[in-house]
Amino acid sequence: MGKLVYGAGQEYDLDDRVLTHVKLAIVAKLRRHESFLLNWDVPVEQGSGRVSLWISREVPLVFQFSGSRPPAINTVWLEALMHTSQRTGGMVVMSEEEAERHLPE
């Protein structure tokens, strides 16, 4: 399980594979100086609810992985993350299986 460390040390647990894809999407946005919301649902085993973070170049951000090797990249999943980031509600962190549902038809 990896960690997304945001701002002044707020930590969020995300699976390494999910975190890898989210990292690539976030970095692509920030390289273009684009700020956006990052949203995900908190699983029941972690207390339930939702998280929304305002992501911008001005806020420190750390991606901490528990595994030593990066996973293979699923380009459809990455494209789905990038597509949702263009919406008013922001980027939605979804499972790999849900990715195609978030792409335009």
Side-chain angles (χ1 to χ4, degrees):
M1 184 69 65
K3 291 187 184 303
L4 173 66
V5 184
Y6 186 74
Q10 184 66 38
E11 295 184 1
Y12 301 95
D13 292 331
L14 295 170
D15 175 79
D16 272 6
R17 186 158 175 74
V18 173
L19 188 58
T20 296
H21 286 78
V22 168
K23 177 187 99 169
L24 292 172
I26 288 174
V27 168
K29 298 284 285 179
L30 293 179
R31 280 188 173 158
R32 292 183 286 214
H33 297 264
E34 296 176 10
S35 299
F36 61 98
L37 276 173
L38 176 65
N39 306 286
W40 70 88
D41 293 327
V42 178
V44 174
E45 57 273 8
Q46 293 178 0
S48 296
R50 295 183 314 263
V51 174
S52 290
L53 298 176
W54 182 248
I55 305 294
S56 73
R57 293 173 62 104
E58 291 77 31
V59 180
L61 187 59
V62 175
F63 303 94
Q64 182 178 352
F65 299 92
S66 60
S68 60
R69 290 187 292 160
I73 302 305
N74 178 331
T75 56
V76 172
W77 192 7
L78 186 56
E79 183 181 342
L81 289 167
M82 293 300 293
H83 178 71
T84 62
S85 74
Q86 301 302 319
R87 299 177 184 163
T88 304
M91 185 183 294
V92 176
V93 178
M94 80 272 311
S95 70
E96 192 166 5
E97 295 75 30
E98 296 173 300
E100 287 191 31
R101 228 179 36 158
H102 290 274
L103 291 173
E105 296 184 21

